[in-house]
C-alpha cells in the first residue's frame, strides 16, 4: 500500500479520535458522577455526525477517542474498554439505522428527518450506551451503587441525547454544502441577530439583567428569536444560534452567576430540558421552513424547466375558461403567437392570430374541442408579416371540485419542421431526379439506398442490391493497392474522388467518375458512406475522338503533324540519352495531283488510305508513319543507321509500285523519298524535317521514284529556292520581269505568222534568272497567278502597240499554267484585257500543256468559254505527256506544238522522225494546225517542210528577242512581211 494511503488511513482515525477526546474533556468538566457522567456530552453528537458525514468506516477513530477519554478518566481497564465499545456502538448503530434503515436525509430538510435524528440518534442508540456505561461503572464497584444505577443511566442518556441534538446539526451545517441566497439585507439582519442574541443571553444567563434591569429576564423570551431565526436563515445560522444559547446557559449556570446552582441536579435537568426544547423547536421549524422552501424552489424550478422545455421545443401552453372568456398563455405561447405579455388576451385574440386562409377550419376544430372532441391540427399564423406554421392540440378538461370546465391547449412552432420536411422532400426529389448515380451504405458497406440514375447506369434495382456490398459491381481491373489508397483517403480526409472501372448488371465494363464521402453524425463518428458517380463512357469516347482529331489524320488514321512532333521530341531525347542514331524519311507521292484532279478527290483519298496501309506494313512496331498533309508522309525509324534506312526506303518504293485497286480502277503510283539521319544531319526536329524535305526535292528534280540522303549541297539549293520564293513576291512590285518574243514562221507562205511571249526575270543581284528555275517555284507557291496575269496583260499591250506602229498582222502566243485554268473568272479576265487593248480574240493564242487532259471538268469548261470567245488554243509540248486521242477529240484546240525534244534528233533518230510524222498526221486528221519548236538547222526545216508541218519556231529562224530587237528583226527582213 502506498505511503499516501497510510497517511490517509491514519488521518481518518486520528482526526475523529482527537475531536472526540477534546470535546469529551470539555464535557467531563461538568461531570455529575465521578469523572464519567454528565448531562452535556458533545462527543456523542460529534461521533454520530462524523459517521453520517464521512461514512461508517471512520468508527475506529471514534473507538480510539473513546478509549483515550475513558483511560484518562482513571477507570479500570475493563470498564474503560466496555464503556468505549458502548459509545462506539452507539455512534455506529445510530448512523447505520439512520442511513440504511429509515433513509435519513442528512440535510434535515424535513420535520420527519429531525424526528428521526432525535429518536434514532438521540434516544434509542444513546439508551444502549447509557445502560452499557452505567453497568461498567457499577461493575467497577466504587463509582455507582445499585441504588444510583437508574439515575446514572438517565443522566448518561440525557447527556448523549443533548450532544446529538446540539452538535450533530452543527457538524452537518459545517461540512455539508448549503444552498442559500444571501442578500445585503440578510447580511445586515444577521449582524443584528447576533447583537441581539448576545445581549439577551447576557441579560438572561448572567447578572447583567439583574444589575441593569433590577430583575432577571426569563429564558423563554429567546424562543421567539430562535423561531424567527429558523424562519429566515439556514441550518448553519440556526445551529450557531443554538450553540451560543447552549454555551451561555451552561456557563451562566455552572459558574453560579445565573439562576441555577452547580450542586443542584434538578437545575441541571431544567437546563437540559430548556436546551433540548429550544433546540427541538428551532430545528423543527427550520426543517419545516426548509421543506417549504424546497417545495417552493422545486415549483419554481419545475416552472423554469417547463418554461425552458417549452422554449427548446418551441411549445407553448394555454388555458381557456369559457365561463369567464379568460385565456391564459404561457410565456412561450406569447412568443410563438407574437403577442405582448402586457396586452389583454381573449379567445378572439388567439383566433385573430390564425392566418385568414386557415381561420374557418380553426373555428370548426375549436368548436368541436369545446364540445369535448380532442383536436390536433396544423395552421399558419401571421406574425408581423412573417408566416409561421403552428401545431395546436386542445382538449376540454371537465369540471373538478366545483371549478368550471376549461379548454387546455398546447401550440408548437413547427416552422423549422415544415422547412425540414420541405428540405427532405426537395432532397428526395434531388436524390431521385439527379442525373448522377447515388449509392448510400452503412458503416459495414451494406447498400441501404440507390436512386433512379444508379439503376439506369448499372441495371441493378434497389431490391437487387439492398443489403449487398458495392463490390458486386467490381470489374476486376483494379488491384488491391488501388482500393487501399482509396480507403486511406476516405479514412484520413473523409473524401475520395477519381475514375474507376466498374461492371454493370449485364457484364459491361464502363468507366465512371466517382466521389465517396464519409457521412458523420453529431458526435463526429461515421454513420454512412455515400458515393456519387457518373458514367463517363460517352465523355471518354469524345475525348478519344478529340484526341484523334488533335493527334491523328482524319483520312488515314496516321499520326498528324502535332503527334509527329511529340514523338520526334521523345525520340530525340531518348537518342541523345542512349547515344543512338535514327532516321527520318520524308515521302511525297509523284504526280498525285493528276490522280486527284482527273479521277476525283474521292479516288485520291482512297489512294492515300491504301498508301498509308502499305507504308505501315513496311516498318517495325515502335516506328512511326505520319501524314503531315496532302500526299506528304514522314516516317521515323528508331535506332536506324543509313544502310537500314536505305533498305526501308527501297522497300517502300517497291511496295508503292504495285498497282492499287481503288473501286473499279487500278492505279499505280510512285514516290520520292528524302532521308535525314540523327545526329549527322541535325539534332533538332525542324532541322531534320527540313533536310529530309530538301533531299526529297532533289529526288523530284532528278526524275522522281527514288530516294536520296541529305547532303549540305541540298541545303544550299533549298535555301536558294526559299530565297527565290521570297524574291518572287517582290519581283512584280519592282518591275523586274521582262518579256522576250520568239517569231513563228508559216512554212506554206514563208511569212511571219506569230510570236510567242516568253518571260524573263532580271534579278537585281543575280542577273537573268532562267524560267526553268523560277517558274516551278512560282507554280508551287501560287505566285504563278499574278505573274501569269502580268504576262498576258503585257503581251497584249505590246501587240497593240506594234499594231499602232504599223507592223504586219500576226498572232501573239501566251503560255497558261494549269493553276490559271482553275480560275473561274479566266474567260472574263481575257476578254477584259483584249478589250482594254483594242484587240480581237483571234489575235491571241493561249498555249496549254498536255497535263490539261488530266484536269477536272471545271478546266474543260474554261477552255470552252475561251474557244467560244474566239481565242486560239494550242497544246504545247505535245507528245511528252498524256497524249490521248479521246482527250484530243474533246479539247476545243486549234493547234498542236511538237516538243523540241522530238525535233532535235529527227534527222538522226528514226523514232523521233516517226513520232513527228505521226503528230503532224494526227493534227491534220483533227483539222488542227501543227507547229514545231526548237528548229535549229536547215535539215530539220527541210524535213518538217517535206512532212507538211504548218509552222516552225526556233533558233534557225530567230532566238527570243526583246521588244525593240523584235521590231528591228522584222524591219530588216522585209520578205517576212
Amino acid at each position: 500500500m502506498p505511503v499516501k494511503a497510510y497517511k490517509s488511513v491514519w488521518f481518518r482515525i486520528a482526526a475523529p479520535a482527537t475531536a472526540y477526546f477534546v470535546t469529551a474533556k470539555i464535557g467531563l468538566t461538568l461531570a455529575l458522577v465521578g469523572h464519567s457522567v454528565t448531562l452535556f456530552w458533545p462527543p456523542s453528537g460529534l461521533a454520530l455526525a462524523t459517521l453520517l458525514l464521512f461514512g461508517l468506516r471512520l468508527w475506529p477513530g471514534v473507538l480510539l477517542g473513546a478509549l483515550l477519554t475513558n483511560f484518562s478518566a482513571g477507570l479500570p481497564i475493563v470498564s474503560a474498554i466496555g464503556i468505549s465499545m458502548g459509545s462506539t456502538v452507539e455512534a455506529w448503530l445510530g448512523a447505520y439505522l439512520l442511513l440504511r434503515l429509515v433513509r435519513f436525509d442528512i440535510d434535515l430538510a424535513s420535520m420527519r428527518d429531525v424526528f428521526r435524528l432525535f429518536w434514532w440518534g438521540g434516544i434509542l442508540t444513546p439508551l444502549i450506551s447509557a445502560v452499557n456505561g452505567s453497568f461498567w461503572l457499577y461493575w467497577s464497584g466504587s463509582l455507582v451503587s445499585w441504588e444510583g444505577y437508574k439515575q446514572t443511566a438517565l443522566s448518561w442518556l440525557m447527556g448523549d441525547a443533548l450532544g446529538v441534538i446540539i452538535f450533530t446539526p452543527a457538524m452537518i451545517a459545517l461540512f455539508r454544502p448549503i444552498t442559500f441566497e444571501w442578500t445585503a439585507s440578510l447580511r445586515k439582519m444577521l449582524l443584528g441577530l447576533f447583537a441581539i442574541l448576545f445581549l439577551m443571553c447576557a441579560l438572561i444567563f448572567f447578572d447583567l439583567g439583574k444589575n441593569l434591569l433590577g430583575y432577571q429576564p426569563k429564558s423563554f423570551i429567546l424562543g421567539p428569536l430562535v423561531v424567527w431565526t429558523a424562519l429566515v436563515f439556514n441550518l448553519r445560522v440556526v445551529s450557531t444560534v443554538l450553540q451560543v444559547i447552549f454555551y451561555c446557559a451552561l456557563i451562566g449556570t455552572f459558574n453560579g452567576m445565573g439562576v441555577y446552582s452547580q450542586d443542584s441536579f434538578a437545575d441541571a435537568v431544567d437546563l437540559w430540558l430548556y436546551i433540548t426544547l429550544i433546540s427541538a423547536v428551532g430545528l423543527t421549524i427550520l426543517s419545516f421552513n426548509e421543506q417549504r422552501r424546497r417545495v417552493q424552489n422545486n415549483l419554481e424550478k419545475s416552472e423554469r424547466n417547463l418554461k425552458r422545455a417549452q422554449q427548446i421545443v418551441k411549445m407553448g401552453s394555454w388555458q381557456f375558461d369559457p365561463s369567464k372568456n379568460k385565456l391564459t398563455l404561457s410565456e412561450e405561447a406569447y412568443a410563438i403567437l407574437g403577442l405582448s405579455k402586457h396586452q389583454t388576451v381573449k379567445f378572439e385574440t388567439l383566433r385573430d392570430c390564425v392566418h385568414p386562409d386557415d381561420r374557418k377550419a380553426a373555428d370548426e376544430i375549436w368548436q368541436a374541442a369545446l364540445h369535448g372532441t380532442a383536436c390536433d391540427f396544423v395552421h399558419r399564423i401571421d406574425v408581423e408579416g412573417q408566416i409561421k406554421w403552428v401545431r395546436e392540440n386542445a382538449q376540454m378538461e371537465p369540471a373538478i371540485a366545483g371549478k368550471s370546465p376549461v379548454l387546455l391547449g398546447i401550440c408548437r412552432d413547427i416552422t423549422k419542421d415544415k422547412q425540414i420536411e420541405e428540405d427532405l422532400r426537395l432532397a428526395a426529389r434531388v436524390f431521385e431526379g439527379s442525373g448522377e448515380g447515388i449509392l448510400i451504405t452503412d458503416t459495414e458497406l451494406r447498400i441501404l439506398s440507390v436512386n433512379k440514375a444508379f439503376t439506369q447506369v448499372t441495371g441493378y434495382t434497389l431490391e437487387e442490391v439492398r443489403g449487398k456490398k458495392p463490390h458486386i459491381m467490381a470489374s476486376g481491373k483494379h488491384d488491391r493497392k488501388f482500393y487501399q489508397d482509396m480507403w486511406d483517403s476516405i479514412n484520413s480526409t473523409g473524401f475520395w474522388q477519381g475514375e474507376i472501372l466498374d461492371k454493370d448488371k449485364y457484364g459491361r465494363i464502363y468507366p465512371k467518375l466517382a466521389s465517396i464521402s464519409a457521412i458523420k453524425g453529431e458526435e463526429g463518428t461515421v454513420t454512412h458512406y455515400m458515393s456519387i458517380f457518373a458514367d463517363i463512357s460517352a465523355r471518354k469516347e469524345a475525348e478519344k475522338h478529340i484526341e484523334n482529331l488533335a493527334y491523328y489524320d482524319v483520312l488515314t488514321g496516321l499520326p498528324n503533324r502535332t503527334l509527329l512532333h511529340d514523338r520526334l521530341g521523345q525520340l530525340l531525347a531518348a537518342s541523345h540519352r542512349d547515344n543512338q542514331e535514327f532516321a527520318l524519311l520524308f515521302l511525297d507521292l509523284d504526280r498525285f495531283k493528276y490522280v486527284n484532279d482527273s479521277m476525283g478527290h474521292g479516288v485520291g483519298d482512297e489512294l492515300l488510305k491504301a498508301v498509308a496501309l502499305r507504308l505501315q506494313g513496311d516498318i517495325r512496331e515502335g516506328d512511326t508513319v505520319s501524314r503531315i498533309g496532302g500526299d506528304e508522309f514522314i516516317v521515323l525509324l528508331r535506332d536506324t543507321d543509313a544502310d537500314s534506312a536505305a533498305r526501308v526506303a527501297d522497300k517502300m518504293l517497291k511496295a508503292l509500285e504495285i498497282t492499287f485497286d481503288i473501286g473499279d480502277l487500278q492505279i499505280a503510283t510512285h514516290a520520292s523519298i528524302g532521308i535525314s539521319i540523327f545526329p549527322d544531319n541535325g539534332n533538332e526536329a525542324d532541322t531534320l524535317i527540313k533536310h529530309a524535305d530538301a533531299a526529297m526535292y532533289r529526288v523530284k528534280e532528278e526524275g522522281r521514284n527514288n530516294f536520296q540522303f541529305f547532303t549540305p549541297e541540298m541545303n544550299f539549293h533549298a535555301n536558294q529556292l526559299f530565297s527565290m520564293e521570297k524574291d518572287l513576291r517582290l519581283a512584280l512590285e519592282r518591275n523586274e520581269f521582262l518579256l522576250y518574243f520568239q517569231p513563228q514562221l508559216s512554212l506554206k507562205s514563208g511569212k511571219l505568222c506569230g510570236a510567242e511571249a516568253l518571260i524573263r526575270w532580271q534579278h537585281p543581284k543575280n542577273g537573268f534568272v532562267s524560267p526553268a528555275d523560277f517558274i516551278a517555284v512560282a507554280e508551287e507557291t501560287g505566285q504563278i497567278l499574278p505573274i501569269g496575269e502580268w504576262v498576258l496583260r503585257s503581251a497584249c499591250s505590246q501587240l497593240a502597240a506594234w499594231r499602232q506602229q504599223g507592223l504586219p498582222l500576226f498572232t501573239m502566243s501566251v503560255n497558261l499554267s494549269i493553276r490559271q485554268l482553275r480560275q473561274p473568272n479566266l474567260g472574263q479576265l481575257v476578254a477584259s484585257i483584249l478589250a482594254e487593248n483594242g484587240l480581237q480574240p483571234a489575235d491571241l493564242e493561249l498555249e496549254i500543256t498536255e497535263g490539261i487532259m488530266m484536269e477536272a471538268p471545271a478546266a474543260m469548261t474554261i477552255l470552252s468559254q475561251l474557244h467560244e470567245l474566239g481565242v486560239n488554243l494550242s497544246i504545247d509540248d505535245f507528245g511528252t505527256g498524256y497524249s490521248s486521242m479521246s482527250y484530243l477529240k474533246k479539247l476545243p484546240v486549234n493547234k498542236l506544238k511538237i516538243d523540241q525534244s522530238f525535233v532535235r534528233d529527227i534527222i538522226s533518230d528514226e523514232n523521233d522522225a516517226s513520232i513527228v510524222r505521226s503528230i503532224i498526221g494526227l493534227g491534220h486528221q483533227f483539222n488542227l494546225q501543227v507547229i514545231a519548236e526548237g528548229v535549229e538547222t536547215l535539215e530539220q526545216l527541210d524535213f518538217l517542210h517535206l512532212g507538211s508541218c504548218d509552222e516552225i519556231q526556233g533558233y534557225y529562224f530567230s532566238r527570243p528577242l526583246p521588244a525593240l530587237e523584235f521590231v528591228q528583226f522584222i524591219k530588216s527582213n522585209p520578205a517576212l512581211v
Side-chain angles (χ1 to χ4, degrees):
M1 184 180 293
V3 175
K4 194 178 219 182
Y6 275 116
K7 290 182 179 179
S8 177
V9 171
W10 285 113
F11 178 80
R12 289 200 300 267
I13 295 174
T18 302
Y20 191 101
F21 179 77
V22 171
T23 56
K25 285 299 183 181
I26 295 174
L28 290 176
T29 59
L30 304 174
L32 298 176
V33 180
H35 296 287
S36 303
V37 182
T38 177
L39 291 179
F40 313 104
W41 187 243
S44 62
L46 177 70
L48 178 62
T50 298
L51 298 184
L52 286 174
L53 289 169
F54 305 110
L56 299 176
R57 60 184 177 174
L58 266 68
W59 71 265
V62 175
L63 176 61
L64 179 60
L67 289 172
L68 292 174
T69 300
N70 290 304
F71 283 142
S72 65
L75 294 174
I77 294 176
V78 175
S79 297
I81 294 175
I83 293 172
S84 299
M85 291 297 296
S87 299
T88 304
V89 169
E90 172 195 352
W92 184 90
L93 184 60
Y96 177 82
L97 292 175
L98 288 171
L99 293 177
R100 304 292 174 85
L101 187 61
V102 297
R103 297 181 181 179
F104 171 71
D105 185 354
I106 197 171
D107 291 328
L108 299 176
S110 67
M111 290 186 294
R112 183 173 57 183
D113 293 317
V114 173
F115 173 77
R116 287 171 176 170
L117 177 65
F118 285 2
W119 173 251
W120 295 98
I123 296 177
L124 187 60
T125 53
L127 180 60
I128 298 173
S129 177
V131 172
N132 174 72
S134 299
F135 169 77
W136 288 110
L137 290 177
Y138 168 75
W139 183 83
S140 64
S142 59
L143 296 177
V144 177
S145 64
W146 182 250
E147 290 77 13
Y149 177 83
K150 290 182 180 181
Q151 185 177 354
T152 301
L154 180 60
S155 299
W156 194 304
L157 173 62
M158 292 171 64
D160 283 6
L162 188 60
V164 170
I165 293 172
I166 293 295
F167 290 97
T168 297
M171 286 285 291
I172 291 174
L174 179 64
F175 289 100
R176 290 287 291 176
I178 296 176
T179 303
F180 189 78
E181 292 188 15
W182 285 97
T183 62
S185 60
L186 283 176
R187 290 188 174 90
K188 292 179 182 178
M189 291 170 64
L190 181 64
L191 292 175
L193 167 66
F194 281 104
I196 294 173
L197 176 64
F198 284 116
L199 176 61
M200 293 180 68
C201 287
L203 292 172
I204 294 171
F205 301 115
F206 302 99
D207 292 336
L208 184 61
K210 186 183 294 187
N211 295 333
L212 291 178
L213 301 176
Y215 67 93
Q216 194 75 28
K218 300 298 181 180
S219 60
F220 69 86
I221 65 174
L222 288 175
L225 183 64
V226 172
V227 171
W228 178 81
T229 303
L231 290 174
V232 175
F233 295 100
N234 58 15
L235 178 63
R236 198 165 289 168
V237 175
V238 171
S239 63
T240 303
V241 168
L242 292 176
Q243 288 188 73
V244 169
I245 295 174
F246 168 71
Y247 286 117
C248 288
L250 196 65
I251 294 171
T253 298
F254 290 100
N255 280 313
M257 296 187 298
V259 296
Y260 306 115
S261 173
Q262 181 178 2
D263 297 329
S264 174
F265 179 76
D267 290 342
V269 172
D270 289 341
L271 176 61
W272 181 89
L273 289 173
Y274 173 75
I275 297 300
T276 302
L277 179 61
I278 200 170
S279 297
V281 170
L283 292 176
T284 302
I285 294 175
L286 173 68
S287 63
F288 173 79
N289 191 48
E290 183 65 25
Q291 186 174 4
R292 181 188 60 80
R293 186 184 293 118
R294 285 196 176 189
V295 171
Q296 183 65 29
N297 289 340
N298 289 336
L299 287 175
E300 293 177 356
K301 184 177 180 181
S302 297
E303 290 181 359
R304 289 195 301 271
N305 291 340
L306 178 60
K307 178 180 176 182
R308 181 58 180 160
Q310 288 187 353
Q311 290 176 343
I312 292 174
V313 300
K314 300 295 182 183
M315 179 183 292
S317 59
W318 52 266
Q319 177 179 310
F320 174 64
D321 187 348
S323 63
K324 300 177 182 178
N325 192 23
K326 181 180 179 182
L327 181 66
T328 305
L329 301 178
S330 69
E331 185 174 339
E332 187 62 21
Y334 277 107
I336 292 174
L337 299 175
L339 300 175
S340 172
K341 299 179 184 178
H342 305 292
Q343 70 183 94
T344 301
V345 180
K346 297 183 178 181
F347 194 77
E348 288 76 11
T349 309
L350 179 63
R351 180 182 178 276
D352 292 340
C353 292
V354 180
H355 193 276
D357 294 343
D358 299 339
R359 196 167 293 161
K360 182 178 179 181
D363 287 340
E364 294 176 355
I365 294 173
W366 276 327
Q367 287 298 323
L370 288 171
H371 288 84
T373 303
C375 65
D376 180 359
F377 67 105
V378 174
H379 63 83
R380 291 166 292 173
I381 59 174
D382 189 344
V383 179
E384 298 179 354
Q386 180 183 1
I387 302 300
K388 290 184 178 181
W389 286 91
V390 174
R391 188 183 194 97
E392 296 263 11
N393 295 88
Q395 186 170 0
M396 201 68 184
E397 187 73 16
I400 301 176
K403 293 184 179 180
S404 59
V406 294
L407 182 63
L408 300 178
I410 61 172
C411 56
R412 186 164 67 91
D413 185 349
I414 60 170
T415 304
K416 287 187 177 180
D417 295 342
K418 278 285 186 180
Q419 185 61 49
I420 293 172
E421 182 180 338
E422 182 62 28
D423 291 344
L424 289 174
R425 281 198 298 267
L426 177 61
R429 289 196 296 270
V430 171
F431 181 78
E432 282 302 321
S434 173
E436 296 181 324
I438 302 177
L439 176 149
I440 299 176
T441 74
D442 60 14
T443 55
E444 299 297 325
L445 301 184
R446 290 185 294 266
I447 297 174
L448 301 177
S449 182
V450 299
N451 68 345
K452 187 183 297 182
F454 173 91
T455 302
Q456 292 172 347
V457 173
T458 67
Y460 290 105
T461 64
L462 176 59
E463 290 71 20
E464 292 174 322
V465 297
R466 181 185 281 123
K468 297 182 180 179
K469 294 188 177 182
H471 67 68
I472 63 172
M473 296 175 287
S475 64
K477 299 294 184 180
H478 301 287
D479 56 16
R480 177 174 295 183
K481 186 177 184 304
F482 174 85
Y483 294 105
Q484 182 178 347
D485 293 343
M486 173 197 296
W487 282 105
D488 286 346
S489 174
I490 296 171
N491 293 332
S492 60
T493 67
F495 182 77
W496 175 88
Q497 184 176 34
E499 291 185 10
I500 187 171
L501 290 173
D502 265 0
K503 182 171 62 177
D504 66 13
K505 177 180 177 181
Y506 309 104
R508 178 182 71 96
I509 295 177
Y510 63 96
K512 70 180 185 182
L513 179 63
S515 64
I516 301 176
S517 303
I519 302 174
K520 296 182 179 180
E522 295 181 356
E523 297 179 356
T525 57
V526 176
T527 59
H528 297 84
Y529 293 101
M530 178 176 68
S531 173
I532 302 176
F533 65 90
D535 184 349
I536 57 174
S537 301
R539 194 187 82 181
K540 285 291 185 180
E541 290 296 328
E543 289 176 353
K544 184 177 180 181
H545 179 64
I546 293 172
E547 181 181 359
N548 285 335
L549 291 176
Y551 296 107
Y552 292 90
D553 177 50
V554 176
L555 179 63
T556 62
L558 295 177
N560 62 10
R561 188 185 298 272
T562 302
L563 185 54
L564 169 71
H565 276 275
D566 181 69
R567 292 188 180 179
L568 182 53
Q570 295 179 23
L571 187 56
L572 280 168
S575 299
H576 270 298
R577 182 185 65 244
D578 301 333
N579 195 25
Q580 291 180 340
E581 294 180 304
F582 70 86
L584 186 149
L585 280 61
F586 198 117
L587 183 149
D588 182 271
L589 298 181
D590 296 334
R591 300 186 183 275
F592 174 74
K593 63 180 179 178
Y594 293 111
V595 176
N596 207 25
D597 295 336
S598 63
M599 299 182 183
H601 290 283
V603 175
D605 289 346
E606 293 300 321
L607 178 60
L608 288 174
K609 293 181 192 178
V611 168
L613 288 174
R614 287 197 186 174
L615 292 179
Q616 286 179 297
D618 293 333
I619 63 172
R620 303 163 299 180
E621 184 178 358
D623 293 337
T624 298
V625 177
S626 66
R627 179 179 177 234
I628 61 173
D631 58 344
E632 294 179 336
F633 298 84
I634 287 182
V635 181
L636 298 179
L637 303 176
R638 56 181 175 79
D639 193 15
T640 300
D641 56 15
D643 291 339
S644 299
R647 286 194 294 270
V648 173
D650 183 65
K651 184 178 179 182
M652 288 181 174
L653 292 175
K654 290 179 179 178
L656 295 179
E657 289 177 355
I658 302 173
T659 303
F660 292 91
D661 293 326
I662 309 296
D664 297 333
L665 301 175
Q666 289 187 337
I667 303 176
T669 187
H670 302 286
S672 299
I673 301 176
I675 306 173
S676 60
I677 303 295
F678 170 86
D680 297 340
N681 302 139
N683 54 14
E684 294 181 353
D686 292 340
T687 303
L688 290 169
I689 293 174
K690 176 183 175 183
H691 288 170
D693 190 16
M696 183 272 293
Y697 271 105
R698 179 58 61 88
V699 176
K700 293 280 189 184
E701 293 172 0
E702 295 183 359
R704 299 181 174 87
N705 193 25
N706 206 342
F707 67 86
Q708 282 201 15
F709 288 92
F710 170 78
T711 61
E713 294 78 11
M714 295 177 185
N715 199 27
F716 175 75
H717 181 66
N719 289 335
Q720 278 189 323
L721 291 177
F722 177 76
S723 177
M724 183 179 293
E725 177 185 350
K726 182 173 63 176
D727 291 345
L728 274 175
R729 298 181 186 277
L730 302 175
L732 277 176
E733 299 175 9
R734 298 174 178 174
N735 297 318
E736 296 175 2
F737 290 118
L738 303 172
L739 283 184
Y740 276 43
F741 303 92
Q742 187 172 30
Q744 296 175 337
L745 179 68
S746 172
L747 293 180
K748 293 181 180 180
S749 64
K751 305 295 184 179
L752 179 68
C753 63
E756 180 179 6
L758 301 170
I759 189 171
R760 296 292 185 268
W761 183 11
Q762 180 66 44
H763 195 279
K765 294 182 179 179
N766 301 329
F768 277 99
V769 180
S770 170
D773 293 333
F774 73 81
I775 291 297
V777 177
E779 283 272 7
E780 184 175 347
T781 61
Q783 290 296 313
I784 195 64
L785 295 178
I787 293 174
E789 182 178 346
W790 178 86
V791 171
L792 181 62
R793 195 177 294 277
S794 298
C796 290
S797 176
Q798 185 63 68
L799 180 61
W802 284 340
R803 292 281 175 87
Q804 292 178 359
Q805 294 175 18
L807 291 184
L809 298 176
F810 57 85
T811 302
M812 179 65 74
S813 296
V814 178
N815 289 282
L816 286 180
S817 73
I818 293 179
R819 278 183 176 268
Q820 287 177 283
L821 282 172
R822 293 173 184 160
Q823 298 181 94
N825 63 340
L826 181 60
Q828 291 88 338
L829 177 64
V830 171
S832 174
I833 292 174
L834 290 173
E836 290 173 4
N837 292 282
L839 299 177
Q840 297 298 318
D843 296 332
L844 179 63
E845 181 177 288
L846 299 176
E847 294 187 9
I848 58 178
T849 63
E850 275 190 302
I852 191 60
M853 296 182 183
M854 301 295 292
E855 275 296 313
M860 297 296 186
T861 302
I862 299 298
L863 291 177
S864 298
Q865 292 176 357
L866 293 173
H867 181 70
E868 292 174 2
L869 182 63
V871 174
N872 296 306
L873 298 176
S874 171
I875 298 179
D876 192 14
D877 300 334
F878 189 81
T880 60
Y882 295 90
S883 301
S884 169
M885 291 184 64
S886 61
Y887 279 106
L888 187 60
K889 181 179 178 182
K890 297 177 182 179
L891 289 174
V893 296
N894 307 97
K895 185 183 293 184
L896 298 180
K897 177 179 279 189
I898 303 173
D899 188 71
Q900 63 180 339
S901 62
F902 300 119
V903 175
R904 184 181 302 115
D905 296 324
I906 56 174
I907 303 301
S908 60
D909 190 335
E910 182 58 30
N911 291 329
D912 288 343
S914 297
I915 291 174
V916 170
R917 284 193 289 267
S918 298
I919 294 174
I920 295 173
L922 180 64
H924 289 167
Q925 185 176 357
F926 283 96
N927 296 320
L928 301 176
Q929 293 287 313
V930 180
I931 182 173
E933 65 177 357
V935 179
E936 299 179 353
T937 65
L938 179 59
E939 290 81 4
Q940 294 170 347
L941 176 63
D942 291 339
F943 178 89
L944 294 170
H945 188 274
L946 291 173
S948 301
C949 184
D950 299 304
E951 300 172 1
I952 64 162
Q953 72 179 80
Y955 285 3
Y956 179 77
F957 183 42
S958 175
R959 291 175 175 272
L961 302 171
L964 293 176
E965 294 182 16
F966 183 85
V967 173
Q968 293 176 359
F969 172 75
I970 294 176
K971 290 181 177 180
S972 62
N973 293 283
L976 296 177
V977 180

